[in-house]
């Protein structure tokens, strides 16, 4: 991580959960972070808890920003260019999950997920690439994806969310392809965690209430686990790219399977 010390990172969805954990971890490694979110109070609390804490820590700058607003995103990157010399790291973490069936779901819910999980992510990636290119920075763009982008979640009404996360996989490879074509050395990585204990997950489980759900209280990652994966991805030398990193709680699966009874399993083992 020494190569990023004193550099500028932008983290979206930074006011809580995974985003907050990533900001904390980056600052501990001496990276200056521009934290983006819609909740100003939460952002201020985060900055106050970190700024001035240790001499070798990075500094937190906060910007209230709805990343689905293209002009607001452009304004942030313009400010980073003029005030801080450009961005070296982008962590696209902002995302949403709404339970909305393909059979009777609301178009508004589908648009919300597509706008934030897919389109806003791509707008931020575009602006980061342009900032890095203008400032001659061989930076790193990291998309916080999900194992939902590598499988089909069996729970009812999560398929549109699956679709947005599958789209992120396509956009990552597409971005790498276009960057290769223009001869840039900017890196693009995707980190796909399994279930992570956040307020969002708690809300989803409360509404699903499926007895056979594979997500258990003791079978989910902590937000710090994802933040550590971000650090591991950034710490690679210039010649190495972690294109896709899947992390899960031990005992989890990428693709959910039907759960067999203990008696069935015992019989299979004997056969």
């Amino acid at each position: 991580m020494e190569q990023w010390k004193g550099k500028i990172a932008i983290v979206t969805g930074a006011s809580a959960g995974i985003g907050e954990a990533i900001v904390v971890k980056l600052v501990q490694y001496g990276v200056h972070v521009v934290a983006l979110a819609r909740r100003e109070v939460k952002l201020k609390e985060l900055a106050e808890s970190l700024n001035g804490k240790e001499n070798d820590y990075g500094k937190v700058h906060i910007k209230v920003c709805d990343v689905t607003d293209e002009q607001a995103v452009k304004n942030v990157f313009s400010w980073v260019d003029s005030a801080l010399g450009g961005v070296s790291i982008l962590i696209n973490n902002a995302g949403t999950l709404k339970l909305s069936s393909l059979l009777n779901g609301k178009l508004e819910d589908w648009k919300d997920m597509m706008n934030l999980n897919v389109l806003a992510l791509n707008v931020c990636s575009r602006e980061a690439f342009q900032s890095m290119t203008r400032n001659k920075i061989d930076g790193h763009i990291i998309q916080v994806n999900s194992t939902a982008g590598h499988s089909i979640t069996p729970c009812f009404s999560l398929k549109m969310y699956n679709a947005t996360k599958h789209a992120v996989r396509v956009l990552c490879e597409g971005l790498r392809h276009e960057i290769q074509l223009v001869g840039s050395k900017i890196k693009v990585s995707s980190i796909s965690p399994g279930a992570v204990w956040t307020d969002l997950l708690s809300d989803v489980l409360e509404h699903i209430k499926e007895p056979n759900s594979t997500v258990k209280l003791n079978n989910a990652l902590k937000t710090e686990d994802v933040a550590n994966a971000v650090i591991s991805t950034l710490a690679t030398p210039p010649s190495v790219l972690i294109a896709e990193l899947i992390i899960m709680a031990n005992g989890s699966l990428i693709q959910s399977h039907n759960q067999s009874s203990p008696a069935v399993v015992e019989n299979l083992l004997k056969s």
Side-chain angles (χ1 to χ4, degrees):
M1 284 294 292
E2 192 64 29
Q3 71 268 34
W4 302 114
K5 192 169 184 178
K7 304 298 185 182
I8 305 299
I10 293 178
V11 179
T12 70
S15 61
I18 294 172
E20 179 183 9
I22 292 171
V23 172
V24 170
K25 192 65 67 172
L26 288 172
V27 167
Q28 290 174 349
Y29 279 91
V31 180
H32 302 307
V33 178
V34 180
L36 308 187
R38 294 177 297 178
R39 296 183 289 180
E40 185 174 14
V41 172
K42 288 286 189 181
L43 286 175
K44 286 182 176 179
E45 290 174 353
L46 177 60
E48 289 171 1
S49 70
L50 292 171
N51 286 339
K53 189 172 182 180
E54 301 285 348
N55 290 333
D56 57 349
Y57 271 33
K59 182 179 180 181
V60 178
H61 306 270
I62 63 171
K63 288 289 182 180
V64 177
C65 179
D66 178 354
V67 292
T68 64
D69 180 341
E70 182 182 17
Q71 190 56 54
V73 172
K74 287 183 173 182
N75 292 343
V76 167
F77 278 88
S78 177
W79 176 82
V80 171
D81 272 3
S82 60
L84 303 176
V87 62
S88 294
I89 299 167
L90 169 66
I91 312 294
N92 264 319
N93 166 72
T96 189
L97 188 164
K98 296 191 175 185
L99 298 173
S100 188
S101 166
L102 302 181
L103 301 179
N104 65 351
K106 297 178 181 178
L107 179 60
E108 179 182 358
D109 289 338
W110 300 345
K111 284 183 175 180
D112 284 347
M113 284 188 279
M114 283 293 182
N115 285 339
L116 182 54
N117 297 0
V118 180
L119 298 180
L121 173 143
N122 206 58
V123 167
C124 290
S125 298
R126 180 192 68 196
E127 295 304 309
F129 168 79
Q130 293 180 3
S131 173
M132 293 171 185
T133 303
R134 280 192 300 269
N135 294 285
K136 296 180 173 56
I137 296 171
D138 293 334
H140 202 147
I141 298 170
I142 295 179
Q143 322 290 27
V144 179
N145 197 354
S146 169
T147 52
H150 298 261
S151 63
I152 299 296
T153 308
C155 301
F156 186 69
S157 72
L158 285 177
K159 304 307 184 293
M160 187 59 72
Y161 177 72
N162 281 131
T164 66
K165 293 303 184 177
H166 278 264
V168 171
R169 288 177 60 206
V170 174
L171 291 175
C172 283
E173 183 67 5
L175 191 56
R176 283 190 288 266
H177 181 219
E178 293 192 8
I179 285 173
Q180 180 194 66
L181 290 176
V182 299
S184 173
K185 295 181 180 179
I186 294 170
K187 294 183 179 184
V188 179
S189 300
S190 172
I191 297 177
S192 295
V196 182
W197 275 113
T198 61
D199 290 341
L200 180 62
L201 178 63
S202 298
D203 291 342
V204 169
L205 293 180
E206 175 65 25
H207 285 89
I208 292 177
K209 293 181 177 177
E210 292 192 14
N212 294 325
S213 172
T214 57
V215 178
K216 306 299 181 184
L217 188 62
N218 61 349
N219 201 32
L221 296 167
K222 299 176 183 177
T223 56
E224 185 180 4
D225 296 326
V226 184
N228 285 332
V230 168
I231 297 302
S232 296
T233 302
L234 288 171
T236 52
S239 60
V240 176
L241 169 69
I242 295 177
E244 177 69 54
L245 178 61
I246 298 176
I247 59 171
M248 302 179 296
N250 193 18
S252 299
L253 301 168
I254 295 175
Q255 178 66 59
S256 298
H257 300 269
N258 291 331
Q259 299 299 306
S260 299
S261 68
V264 170
V265 173
E266 185 176 355
N267 287 333
L268 288 172
L269 290 174
K270 290 178 179 178
S271 62

